[in-house]
Amino acid sequence: MRFFLAALLLAIPMASLAIDTGLAFEDPELQARYEKIISEVRCLKCQNQTIKDSNAFLADDLRREIRRLLEEGKTDAEVYDFLVVRYGEFALYRPQMSGSGMFLWLALFVFAGFGAFVAFRVVRKRMALPIDDESDVEPTIETKA
Amino acid sequence: MNRYIAPIVVFVILLGVFMIGLNKDPTILPSPFIGRAAPAFDLPTLENASKRVSNADLSGQVVLVNVWATWCVGCRQEHEFLLQLARDKVIPIYGLNWRDRREDALQWLRQLGNPYVVSGYDGDGKAGIDWGVYGAPETFLIAKDGTVLYKYLGPLNSQVWQQEFEPRILQAEGSAS
């Protein structure tokens, strides 16, 4: 009986569980670009999924449109623009390096810089402590300041 | 004591940011079309596949473009209100029948009544993508010159209508005449 069930499970072709049921491109390079794009586009209906992972019909439609654009010879940037014009930058998981996306990218460096500054200050303060100081570090800073 | 002030200030600021952020509905996305020309469309009508409806049909009037489908629960909820708008001749309503089966959509209109001047039939959802549609019902308010003034997500009702649509329609009709 168990053998029978296992055989039955194996009989389900894995391809039938795939979300993207469209045909692959003949050109492997085009297929690779397609795969990359759909794994970076948000499904607007199911916001925490990419359109590669989602089987919402909106994701299906978007995959079909992206496929069509690539077949027409559009560049990756043109495909992303197509989506941004219609759905806004929120559609992209990787924010663009312009407009409001720039804030996100700059914020990265601002926060990293602030963190480095704080770390530097703390280390400097601790280095100024006498080495033979046996007492706890925290209160010592307080009294010497 | 001084050393506690900075963390408390940061904490309070973050608290404010999160309070605002968490009370927003993340499923409501701003439409990038607001203030810009409505996307071009040219679709066969729902009633007659050989007739077409396009942007030209909307121009010169303030109109609603309502995205609907028979599988959409919210569309069923707002249908009565759309009929009321049509009955009172408040504003012309153009339909975008999105990702639907033609027979189903026609039957829906026969059974429930038809509030639309005409509905475009977008069976494969291509026009929907051009309009940035991601979930029906969606309702666009279009100015006389074809600019998108406003987009509402979810079923319309009289409260939404009074709060969101009426002031914008008054403004749109006032400024253009």
Side-chain angles (χ1 to χ4, degrees):
Chain A
M1 187 63 195
R2 272 169 90 175
F3 174 78
F4 177 71
L5 277 177
L8 203 66
L9 274 177
L10 283 172
I12 302 172
M14 289 315 271
S16 71
L17 302 175
I19 285 164
D20 190 357
T21 51
L23 283 171
F25 288 90
E26 281 188 18
D27 178 1
E29 192 205 335
L30 213 54
Q31 180 67 22
R33 278 174 57 204
Y34 169 73
E35 299 264 340
K36 179 173 174 292
I37 291 175
I38 63 170
S39 64
E40 286 186 358
V41 173
R42 186 189 303 277
C43 169
L44 285 306
K45 190 65 203 169
C46 28
Q47 291 181 359
N48 290 331
Q49 281 185 311
T50 64
I51 59 171
K52 186 178 185 178
D53 297 330
S54 170
N55 52 7
F57 65 68
L58 179 68
D60 208 34
D61 286 359
L62 288 173
R63 282 196 299 265
R64 192 193 58 217
E65 283 302 297
I66 290 169
R67 188 182 291 276
R68 186 179 61 77
L69 291 170
L70 288 176
E71 273 164 1
E72 283 174 8
K74 296 279 197 291
T75 64
D76 291 8
E78 282 170 326
V79 174
Y80 288 131
D81 277 348
F82 173 92
L83 294 163
V84 168
V85 164
R86 285 160 179 77
Y87 290 99
E89 285 206 25
F90 187 64
L92 306 182
Y93 267 110
R94 193 189 295 272
Q96 290 178 322
M97 288 280 249
S98 65
S100 55
M102 204 65 204
F103 274 105
L104 285 176
W105 285 102
L106 284 178
L108 188 74
F109 297 105
V110 169
F111 283 116
F114 180 72
F117 173 73
V118 170
F120 177 74
R121 286 261 317 244
V122 169
V123 169
R124 269 266 297 259
K125 255 187 177 166
R126 296 201 173 180
M127 277 172 77
L129 295 176
I131 290 169
D132 60 354
D133 192 341
E134 299 274 306
S135 64
D136 229 4
V137 173
E138 281 298 313
T140 319
I141 296 174
E142 196 74 343
T143 49
K144 296 221 167 164
Chain B
M1 197 57 216
N2 262 350
R3 60 187 302 187
Y4 296 117
I5 289 179
I8 288 172
V9 168
V10 170
F11 174 74
V12 169
I13 291 173
L14 280 179
L15 202 68
V17 170
F18 289 144
M19 289 264 276
I20 296 168
L22 291 173
N23 282 314
K24 276 182 161 180
D25 183 348
T27 61
I28 295 177
L29 306 177
S31 172
F33 291 114
I34 288 167
R36 299 196 355 226
F41 74 100
D42 184 12
L43 289 170
T45 67
L46 179 62
E47 292 82 1
N48 184 343
S50 56
K51 275 192 184 161
R52 300 194 79 80
V53 56
S54 70
N55 299 67
D57 295 290
L58 313 182
S59 68
Q61 44 186 349
V62 180
V63 299
L64 291 187
V65 173
N66 177 251
V67 181
W68 66 284
T70 55
W71 46 261
C72 145
V73 180
C75 304
R76 182 70 183 78
Q77 288 169 351
E78 70 175 3
H79 199 77
E80 203 52 46
F81 184 71
L82 294 182
L83 285 171
Q84 190 189 319
L85 287 179
R87 210 167 30 235
D88 300 344
K89 296 192 170 21
V90 179
I91 190 167
I93 308 173
Y94 287 82
L96 176 63
N97 182 237
W98 185 50
R99 266 199 152 262
D100 211 346
R101 293 217 324 251
R102 200 184 278 270
E103 322 74 275
D104 293 351
L106 287 170
Q107 196 192 352
W108 158 295
L109 294 182
R110 268 197 306 273
Q111 277 180 354
L112 302 173
N114 183 355
Y116 305 106
V117 179
V118 63
S119 278
Y121 178 66
D122 181 30
D124 61 3
K126 199 168 172 311
I129 289 181
D130 285 339
W131 280 69
V133 171
Y134 62 92
E138 292 188 10
T139 306
F140 294 83
L141 178 64
I142 315 281
K144 289 180 185 172
D145 62 355
T147 312
V148 178
L149 295 173
Y150 181 64
K151 173 182 179 179
Y152 184 78
L153 282 142
L156 294 184
N157 54 45
S158 56
Q159 194 192 346
V160 169
W161 186 258
Q162 279 163 18
Q163 277 174 12
E164 306 293 345
F165 285 86
E166 273 179 0
R168 291 182 170 91
I169 292 171
L170 276 176
Q171 204 183 359
E173 291 190 326
S175 62
S177 61

